[in-house]
mmCIF file of all heavy atoms in Angstrom:
data_model
loop_
_atom_site.group_PDB
_atom_site.id
_atom_site.type_symbol
_atom_site.label_atom_id
_atom_site.label_comp_id
_atom_site.label_asym_id
_atom_site.label_seq_id
_atom_site.Cartn_x
_atom_site.Cartn_y
_atom_site.Cartn_z
ATOM 1 N N TRP H 1 103.897 -136.262 53.277
ATOM 2 C CA TRP H 1 104.876 -135.657 54.180
ATOM 3 C C TRP H 1 105.411 -134.381 53.517
ATOM 4 O O TRP H 1 105.943 -134.417 52.437
ATOM 5 C CB TRP H 1 106.042 -136.636 54.398
ATOM 6 C CG TRP H 1 107.090 -136.148 55.357
ATOM 7 C CD1 TRP H 1 108.112 -135.294 55.081
ATOM 8 C CD2 TRP H 1 107.223 -136.476 56.740
ATOM 9 N NE1 TRP H 1 108.890 -135.072 56.169
ATOM 10 C CE2 TRP H 1 108.384 -135.796 57.232
ATOM 11 C CE3 TRP H 1 106.506 -137.299 57.598
ATOM 12 C CZ2 TRP H 1 108.796 -135.904 58.541
ATOM 13 C CZ3 TRP H 1 106.930 -137.411 58.931
ATOM 14 C CH2 TRP H 1 108.051 -136.707 59.381
ATOM 15 N N VAL H 2 105.192 -133.250 54.196
ATOM 16 C CA VAL H 2 105.573 -131.970 53.645
ATOM 17 C C VAL H 2 106.798 -131.406 54.369
ATOM 18 O O VAL H 2 106.820 -131.342 55.609
ATOM 19 C CB VAL H 2 104.406 -130.944 53.749
ATOM 20 C CG1 VAL H 2 104.795 -129.627 53.085
ATOM 21 C CG2 VAL H 2 103.147 -131.503 53.123
ATOM 22 N N THR H 3 107.782 -131.013 53.607
ATOM 23 C CA THR H 3 108.993 -130.411 54.179
ATOM 24 C C THR H 3 108.890 -128.868 54.116
ATOM 25 O O THR H 3 108.215 -128.316 53.291
ATOM 26 C CB THR H 3 110.246 -130.834 53.394
ATOM 27 O OG1 THR H 3 110.125 -130.438 52.018
ATOM 28 C CG2 THR H 3 110.421 -132.350 53.458
ATOM 29 N N ARG H 4 109.599 -128.247 55.037
ATOM 30 C CA ARG H 4 109.755 -126.800 55.031
ATOM 31 C C ARG H 4 111.228 -126.481 55.263
ATOM 32 O O ARG H 4 111.751 -126.733 56.350
ATOM 33 C CB ARG H 4 108.912 -126.135 56.143
ATOM 34 C CG ARG H 4 109.010 -124.604 56.152
ATOM 35 C CD ARG H 4 108.346 -124.033 57.401
ATOM 36 N NE ARG H 4 108.297 -122.571 57.391
ATOM 37 C CZ ARG H 4 109.307 -121.769 57.751
ATOM 38 N NH1 ARG H 4 110.453 -122.308 58.176
ATOM 39 N NH2 ARG H 4 109.180 -120.463 57.723
ATOM 40 N N ILE H 5 111.877 -125.930 54.247
ATOM 41 C CA ILE H 5 113.330 -125.723 54.290
ATOM 42 C C ILE H 5 113.687 -124.345 53.782
ATOM 43 O O ILE H 5 113.458 -124.036 52.615
ATOM 44 C CB ILE H 5 114.065 -126.801 53.448
ATOM 45 C CG1 ILE H 5 113.801 -128.187 54.037
ATOM 46 C CG2 ILE H 5 115.555 -126.506 53.381
ATOM 47 C CD1 ILE H 5 114.309 -129.326 53.158
ATOM 48 N N ARG H 6 114.222 -123.507 54.684
ATOM 49 C CA ARG H 6 114.644 -122.149 54.265
ATOM 50 C C ARG H 6 116.051 -121.795 54.669
ATOM 51 O O ARG H 6 116.517 -120.681 54.412
ATOM 52 C CB ARG H 6 113.644 -121.155 54.865
ATOM 53 C CG ARG H 6 112.220 -121.369 54.311
ATOM 54 C CD ARG H 6 111.289 -120.251 54.723
ATOM 55 N NE ARG H 6 109.949 -120.528 54.184
ATOM 56 C CZ ARG H 6 108.919 -119.718 54.316
ATOM 57 N NH1 ARG H 6 109.074 -118.559 54.939
ATOM 58 N NH2 ARG H 6 107.729 -120.022 53.806
ATOM 59 N N THR H 7 116.764 -122.738 55.311
ATOM 60 C CA THR H 7 118.180 -122.535 55.641
ATOM 61 C C THR H 7 118.904 -123.861 55.471
ATOM 62 O O THR H 7 118.294 -124.938 55.357
ATOM 63 C CB THR H 7 118.342 -122.073 57.116
ATOM 64 O OG1 THR H 7 118.001 -123.164 58.002
ATOM 65 C CG2 THR H 7 117.505 -120.854 57.442
ATOM 66 N N VAL H 8 120.222 -123.797 55.438
ATOM 67 C CA VAL H 8 121.021 -125.011 55.314
ATOM 68 C C VAL H 8 120.805 -125.912 56.519
ATOM 69 O O VAL H 8 120.656 -127.129 56.362
ATOM 70 C CB VAL H 8 122.514 -124.631 55.155
ATOM 71 C CG1 VAL H 8 123.393 -125.894 55.171
ATOM 72 C CG2 VAL H 8 122.718 -123.879 53.851
ATOM 73 N N ASP H 9 120.784 -125.333 57.712
ATOM 74 C CA ASP H 9 120.582 -126.148 58.896
ATOM 75 C C ASP H 9 119.203 -126.825 58.884
ATOM 76 O O ASP H 9 119.077 -128.002 59.287
ATOM 77 C CB ASP H 9 120.743 -125.313 60.163
ATOM 78 C CG ASP H 9 122.191 -124.965 60.463
ATOM 79 O OD1 ASP H 9 123.090 -125.664 59.939
ATOM 80 O OD2 ASP H 9 122.449 -123.991 61.189
ATOM 81 N N GLU H 10 118.179 -126.087 58.442
ATOM 82 C CA GLU H 10 116.859 -126.687 58.320
ATOM 83 C C GLU H 10 116.882 -127.845 57.318
ATOM 84 O O GLU H 10 116.156 -128.824 57.493
ATOM 85 C CB GLU H 10 115.826 -125.661 57.873
ATOM 86 C CG GLU H 10 115.370 -124.734 59.009
ATOM 87 C CD GLU H 10 114.296 -123.761 58.554
ATOM 88 O OE1 GLU H 10 114.004 -123.692 57.352
ATOM 89 O OE2 GLU H 10 113.726 -123.095 59.429
ATOM 90 N N ALA H 11 117.666 -127.712 56.259
ATOM 91 C CA ALA H 11 117.760 -128.775 55.277
ATOM 92 C C ALA H 11 118.288 -130.065 55.916
ATOM 93 O O ALA H 11 117.725 -131.152 55.717
ATOM 94 C CB ALA H 11 118.667 -128.375 54.135
ATOM 95 N N PHE H 12 119.323 -129.945 56.721
ATOM 96 C CA PHE H 12 119.892 -131.135 57.344
ATOM 97 C C PHE H 12 118.873 -131.789 58.290
ATOM 98 O O PHE H 12 118.699 -133.019 58.291
ATOM 99 C CB PHE H 12 121.166 -130.771 58.117
ATOM 100 C CG PHE H 12 122.281 -130.323 57.232
ATOM 101 C CD1 PHE H 12 123.130 -129.279 57.615
ATOM 102 C CD2 PHE H 12 122.522 -130.929 56.015
ATOM 103 C CE1 PHE H 12 124.158 -128.842 56.815
ATOM 104 C CE2 PHE H 12 123.543 -130.501 55.185
ATOM 105 C CZ PHE H 12 124.369 -129.472 55.595
ATOM 106 N N THR H 13 118.229 -130.966 59.112
ATOM 107 C CA THR H 13 117.247 -131.518 60.053
ATOM 108 C C THR H 13 116.056 -132.125 59.358
ATOM 109 O O THR H 13 115.598 -133.224 59.663
ATOM 110 C CB THR H 13 116.747 -130.416 60.998
ATOM 111 O OG1 THR H 13 117.862 -129.849 61.711
ATOM 112 C CG2 THR H 13 115.727 -130.922 61.993
ATOM 113 N N SER H 14 115.538 -131.420 58.329
ATOM 114 C CA SER H 14 114.381 -131.908 57.610
ATOM 115 C C SER H 14 114.674 -133.182 56.843
ATOM 116 O O SER H 14 113.876 -134.133 56.849
ATOM 117 C CB SER H 14 113.881 -130.797 56.663
ATOM 118 O OG SER H 14 112.739 -131.251 55.928
ATOM 119 N N LEU H 15 115.804 -133.238 56.151
ATOM 120 C CA LEU H 15 116.150 -134.438 55.384
ATOM 121 C C LEU H 15 116.359 -135.632 56.304
ATOM 122 O O LEU H 15 115.927 -136.741 55.979
ATOM 123 C CB LEU H 15 117.415 -134.185 54.565
ATOM 124 C CG LEU H 15 117.260 -133.236 53.375
ATOM 125 C CD1 LEU H 15 118.592 -132.865 52.820
ATOM 126 C CD2 LEU H 15 116.379 -133.845 52.296
ATOM 127 N N ASP H 16 116.985 -135.424 57.438
ATOM 128 C CA ASP H 16 117.182 -136.513 58.378
ATOM 129 C C ASP H 16 115.849 -137.088 58.847
ATOM 130 O O ASP H 16 115.623 -138.301 58.877
ATOM 131 C CB ASP H 16 117.979 -136.011 59.596
ATOM 132 C CG ASP H 16 118.185 -137.095 60.638
ATOM 133 O OD1 ASP H 16 118.955 -138.012 60.402
ATOM 134 O OD2 ASP H 16 117.533 -136.994 61.725
ATOM 135 N N ARG H 17 114.901 -136.186 59.202
ATOM 136 C CA ARG H 17 113.582 -136.642 59.669
ATOM 137 C C ARG H 17 112.821 -137.309 58.543
ATOM 138 O O ARG H 17 112.184 -138.357 58.719
ATOM 139 C CB ARG H 17 112.787 -135.470 60.248
ATOM 140 C CG ARG H 17 113.326 -134.899 61.528
ATOM 141 C CD ARG H 17 112.402 -133.839 62.082
ATOM 142 N NE ARG H 17 111.121 -134.411 62.470
ATOM 143 C CZ ARG H 17 109.986 -134.124 61.851
ATOM 144 N NH1 ARG H 17 109.933 -133.291 60.832
ATOM 145 N NH2 ARG H 17 108.861 -134.677 62.283
ATOM 146 N N MET H 18 112.863 -136.692 57.365
ATOM 147 C CA MET H 18 112.109 -137.265 56.233
ATOM 148 C C MET H 18 112.556 -138.686 55.923
ATOM 149 O O MET H 18 111.732 -139.587 55.744
ATOM 150 C CB MET H 18 112.266 -136.367 55.020
ATOM 151 C CG MET H 18 111.483 -136.856 53.806
ATOM 152 S SD MET H 18 111.961 -136.001 52.270
ATOM 153 C CE MET H 18 113.504 -136.904 51.882
ATOM 154 N N LEU H 19 113.867 -138.887 55.850
ATOM 155 C CA LEU H 19 114.403 -140.173 55.469
ATOM 156 C C LEU H 19 114.178 -141.213 56.567
ATOM 157 O O LEU H 19 113.783 -142.340 56.302
ATOM 158 C CB LEU H 19 115.885 -140.057 55.114
ATOM 159 C CG LEU H 19 116.158 -139.262 53.836
ATOM 160 C CD1 LEU H 19 117.647 -138.972 53.705
ATOM 161 C CD2 LEU H 19 115.646 -139.994 52.598
ATOM 162 N N ARG H 20 114.426 -140.829 57.830
ATOM 163 C CA ARG H 20 114.310 -141.792 58.907
ATOM 164 C C ARG H 20 112.856 -142.074 59.286
ATOM 165 O O ARG H 20 112.481 -143.208 59.523
ATOM 166 C CB ARG H 20 115.079 -141.289 60.142
ATOM 167 C CG ARG H 20 116.584 -141.343 59.988
ATOM 168 C CD ARG H 20 117.281 -141.069 61.310
ATOM 169 N NE ARG H 20 116.874 -139.818 61.917
ATOM 170 C CZ ARG H 20 116.019 -139.695 62.927
ATOM 171 N NH1 ARG H 20 115.449 -140.789 63.442
ATOM 172 N NH2 ARG H 20 115.732 -138.514 63.439
ATOM 173 N N VAL H 21 112.039 -141.020 59.335
ATOM 174 C CA VAL H 21 110.649 -141.190 59.814
ATOM 175 C C VAL H 21 109.703 -141.457 58.667
ATOM 176 O O VAL H 21 108.948 -142.445 58.681
ATOM 177 C CB VAL H 21 110.208 -139.916 60.579
ATOM 178 C CG1 VAL H 21 108.752 -140.083 61.057
ATOM 179 C CG2 VAL H 21 111.145 -139.651 61.772
ATOM 180 N N ALA H 22 109.705 -140.572 57.647
ATOM 181 C CA ALA H 22 108.731 -140.748 56.566
ATOM 182 C C ALA H 22 109.059 -141.913 55.647
ATOM 183 O O ALA H 22 108.166 -142.562 55.132
ATOM 184 C CB ALA H 22 108.646 -139.466 55.757
ATOM 185 N N CYS H 23 110.348 -142.175 55.412
ATOM 186 C CA CYS H 23 110.761 -143.228 54.499
ATOM 187 C C CYS H 23 111.202 -144.491 55.193
ATOM 188 O O CYS H 23 111.520 -145.489 54.550
ATOM 189 C CB CYS H 23 111.890 -142.740 53.578
ATOM 190 S SG CYS H 23 111.448 -141.299 52.583
ATOM 191 N N ARG H 24 111.293 -144.456 56.546
ATOM 192 C CA ARG H 24 111.694 -145.637 57.345
ATOM 193 C C ARG H 24 113.082 -146.140 56.917
ATOM 194 O O ARG H 24 113.317 -147.351 56.830
ATOM 195 C CB ARG H 24 110.679 -146.745 57.211
ATOM 196 C CG ARG H 24 109.230 -146.398 57.498
ATOM 197 C CD ARG H 24 109.036 -145.908 58.912
ATOM 198 N NE ARG H 24 107.611 -145.893 59.267
ATOM 199 C CZ ARG H 24 107.113 -145.264 60.354
ATOM 200 N NH1 ARG H 24 107.938 -144.580 61.144
ATOM 201 N NH2 ARG H 24 105.842 -145.310 60.614
ATOM 202 N N ALA H 25 113.976 -145.192 56.648
ATOM 203 C CA ALA H 25 115.321 -145.552 56.177
ATOM 204 C C ALA H 25 116.364 -145.189 57.228
ATOM 205 O O ALA H 25 116.154 -144.266 58.005
ATOM 206 C CB ALA H 25 115.635 -144.833 54.884
ATOM 207 N N PRO H 26 117.497 -145.867 57.262
ATOM 208 C CA PRO H 26 118.602 -145.439 58.147
ATOM 209 C C PRO H 26 119.191 -144.139 57.633
ATOM 210 O O PRO H 26 119.090 -143.831 56.413
ATOM 211 C CB PRO H 26 119.580 -146.585 58.052
ATOM 212 C CG PRO H 26 119.313 -147.218 56.737
ATOM 213 C CD PRO H 26 117.842 -147.080 56.494
ATOM 214 N N ARG H 27 119.811 -143.381 58.510
ATOM 215 C CA ARG H 27 120.444 -142.124 58.083
ATOM 216 C C ARG H 27 121.548 -142.443 57.105
ATOM 217 O O ARG H 27 122.438 -143.229 57.395
ATOM 218 C CB ARG H 27 121.007 -141.400 59.296
ATOM 219 C CG ARG H 27 121.714 -140.084 58.983
ATOM 220 C CD ARG H 27 122.287 -139.431 60.237
ATOM 221 N NE ARG H 27 123.158 -138.320 59.929
ATOM 222 C CZ ARG H 27 122.789 -137.054 59.800
ATOM 223 N NH1 ARG H 27 121.533 -136.741 59.990
ATOM 224 N NH2 ARG H 27 123.677 -136.113 59.531
ATOM 225 N N PRO H 28 121.558 -141.800 55.927
ATOM 226 C CA PRO H 28 122.549 -142.134 54.912
ATOM 227 C C PRO H 28 123.893 -141.448 55.137
ATOM 228 O O PRO H 28 123.948 -140.365 55.716
ATOM 229 C CB PRO H 28 121.901 -141.598 53.606
ATOM 230 C CG PRO H 28 121.059 -140.452 54.070
ATOM 231 C CD PRO H 28 120.540 -140.853 55.415
ATOM 232 N N ALA H 29 124.945 -142.061 54.629
ATOM 233 C CA ALA H 29 126.283 -141.518 54.779
ATOM 234 C C ALA H 29 126.424 -140.171 54.043
ATOM 235 O O ALA H 29 127.162 -139.282 54.522
ATOM 236 C CB ALA H 29 127.309 -142.515 54.256
ATOM 237 N N TRP H 30 125.718 -139.986 52.929
ATOM 238 C CA TRP H 30 125.849 -138.726 52.177
ATOM 239 C C TRP H 30 125.377 -137.542 52.994
ATOM 240 O O TRP H 30 125.868 -136.426 52.816
ATOM 241 C CB TRP H 30 125.161 -138.801 50.823
ATOM 242 C CG TRP H 30 123.654 -138.956 50.847
ATOM 243 C CD1 TRP H 30 122.928 -140.102 50.618
ATOM 244 C CD2 TRP H 30 122.697 -137.911 51.088
ATOM 245 N NE1 TRP H 30 121.580 -139.831 50.697
ATOM 246 C CE2 TRP H 30 121.395 -138.519 50.988
ATOM 247 C CE3 TRP H 30 122.764 -136.562 51.379
ATOM 248 C CZ2 TRP H 30 120.215 -137.821 51.175
ATOM 249 C CZ3 TRP H 30 121.580 -135.828 51.547
ATOM 250 C CH2 TRP H 30 120.323 -136.441 51.458
ATOM 251 N N LEU H 31 124.421 -137.755 53.897
ATOM 252 C CA LEU H 31 123.935 -136.671 54.729
ATOM 253 C C LEU H 31 125.011 -136.236 55.734
ATOM 254 O O LEU H 31 125.196 -135.055 55.990
ATOM 255 C CB LEU H 31 122.656 -137.062 55.434
ATOM 256 C CG LEU H 31 121.902 -135.963 56.186
ATOM 257 C CD1 LEU H 31 121.653 -134.735 55.291
ATOM 258 C CD2 LEU H 31 120.584 -136.500 56.729
ATOM 259 N N ASP H 32 125.745 -137.210 56.262
ATOM 260 C CA ASP H 32 126.871 -136.886 57.141
ATOM 261 C C ASP H 32 127.938 -136.124 56.387
ATOM 262 O O ASP H 32 128.534 -135.156 56.915
ATOM 263 C CB ASP H 32 127.485 -138.176 57.739
ATOM 264 C CG ASP H 32 126.555 -138.871 58.705
ATOM 265 O OD1 ASP H 32 125.752 -138.193 59.386
ATOM 266 O OD2 ASP H 32 126.600 -140.125 58.771
#
C-alpha cells in the first residue's frame, strides 16, 4: 500500500484510508 502525501489535508485523508482499508483498523482517536 503506497501513500502519497504533500499537504496536511492529504495526510488526514491518506492516513484515514490507510488505517481503515489497508490495516483493517477502526479510525483512531488521535487522528480526530
